[in-house]
Amino acid sequence: MASVSVYNMEGAEVGKLDLNDDVFGVEINENLVHLAVVQQLADNRQGTQKAKTRSEVSGGGKKPWRQKGTGHARQGSTRAPQWTGGGTVFAPVPRDYSFKLNKKEKRTALKSALTNSVNNNKFIVIDELKFDAPKTKDFVKFLENIKVSDKALVVLSENDKNVILSADNLPNVETEQVGELNTYDVMKAQTLIVTKDAVARIEEVYA
């Protein structure tokens, strides 16, 4: 069972916390982690590229000239691809890039990502994260206290508006509640900052 230090907002160590091996000590499944990341990126793709085929461009309802006797090659419509303003051959159309992973695969991928964070000392537990009012300056001071300067993901057990708004203007910080936690964001973060209550909630949901 892994044990991590618990810090307060001033950066002082205030205790130790044993992590549940069923969530934070699993065998890392790199394949499922990869699939989970690719799936989220695919879900975010808009797939809105579009060009008109010959059936969608305007005009060309009439045969340009008669079939024989003009000296020209026979033509059926000015909407054909070889004409200026004609349709595109095999035109791209909007498509859905998303694909599905089952619930068990998603859970395994997320637990693998969390275990990876713990194994690589990127997992910081805070006993309590509270601000009296939304202030970016106070959040920056908190990050300095715990010596975090790179891309961080802050995981909360509940919707704390003061914390979320305090971090909102920081480009290298994202905040999520336990229910929003996903493999891609965990792997993307250089540091995972998790409140003690959020750790308990994660273990309750995913153990």
Side-chain angles (χ1 to χ4, degrees):
M1 181 177 287
S3 179
V4 295
S5 299
V6 179
Y7 299 91
N8 60 19
M9 291 181 61
E10 284 69 47
E13 185 175 337
V14 294
K16 293 282 187 179
L17 179 65
D18 291 330
L19 300 176
N20 190 333
D21 283 344
D22 290 337
V23 179
F24 298 100
V26 301
E27 182 179 350
I28 296 176
N29 190 321
E30 293 183 4
N31 181 54
L32 285 181
V33 170
H34 172 73
L35 284 176
V37 170
V38 171
Q39 187 217 20
Q40 183 161 343
L41 292 175
D43 285 349
N44 291 340
R45 290 186 70 174
Q46 289 187 320
T48 53
Q49 68 275 37
K50 178 73 174 77
K52 291 182 178 180
T53 63
R54 64 182 294 167
S55 66
E56 296 170 312
V57 295
S58 62
K62 183 183 178 183
K63 190 172 173 67
W65 48 74
R66 58 195 172 92
Q67 182 82 344
K68 295 177 180 293
T70 63
H72 297 294
R74 55 192 174 187
Q75 300 290 334
S77 170
T78 55
R79 294 187 296 188
Q82 70 270 21
W83 284 76
T84 300
T88 302
V89 181
F90 306 128
V93 295
R95 57 168 286 192
D96 181 9
Y97 291 93
S98 65
F99 62 93
K100 285 190 176 182
L101 285 180
N102 66 44
K103 187 181 291 187
K104 186 176 181 180
E105 289 173 326
K106 285 184 177 180
R107 290 168 67 93
T108 301
L110 179 56
K111 289 193 284 187
S112 293
L114 291 170
T115 299
N116 180 70
S117 294
V118 174
N119 292 347
N120 290 287
N121 299 317
K122 299 194 300 181
F123 194 85
I124 298 176
V125 179
I126 304 298
D127 64 340
E128 187 180 38
L129 189 55
K130 293 286 184 184
F131 294 102
D132 295 330
K135 269 198 173 180
T136 302
K137 182 171 68 175
D138 291 346
F139 202 96
V140 171
K141 179 64 176 174
F142 160 67
L143 293 177
E144 291 174 351
N145 291 341
I146 61 173
K147 298 180 173 58
V148 172
S149 58
D150 46 19
K151 188 177 289 291
L153 175 63
V154 180
V155 184
L156 308 171
S157 61
E158 57 186 16
N159 184 15
D160 189 323
K161 288 187 176 181
N162 286 345
V163 174
I164 293 170
L165 291 175
S166 296
D168 203 36
N169 287 331
L170 299 175
N172 63 329
V173 177
E174 291 184 16
T175 58
E176 287 183 2
Q177 296 174 62
V178 172
E180 302 168 324
L181 204 57
N182 62 82
T183 304
Y184 174 68
D185 288 342
V186 173
M187 294 300 295
K188 184 175 66 172
Q190 295 297 316
T191 305
L192 207 58
I193 303 170
V194 190
T195 65
K196 195 172 179 180
D197 288 344
V199 172
R201 180 67 180 148
I202 291 171
E203 292 179 341
E204 178 186 337
V205 172
Y206 294 102

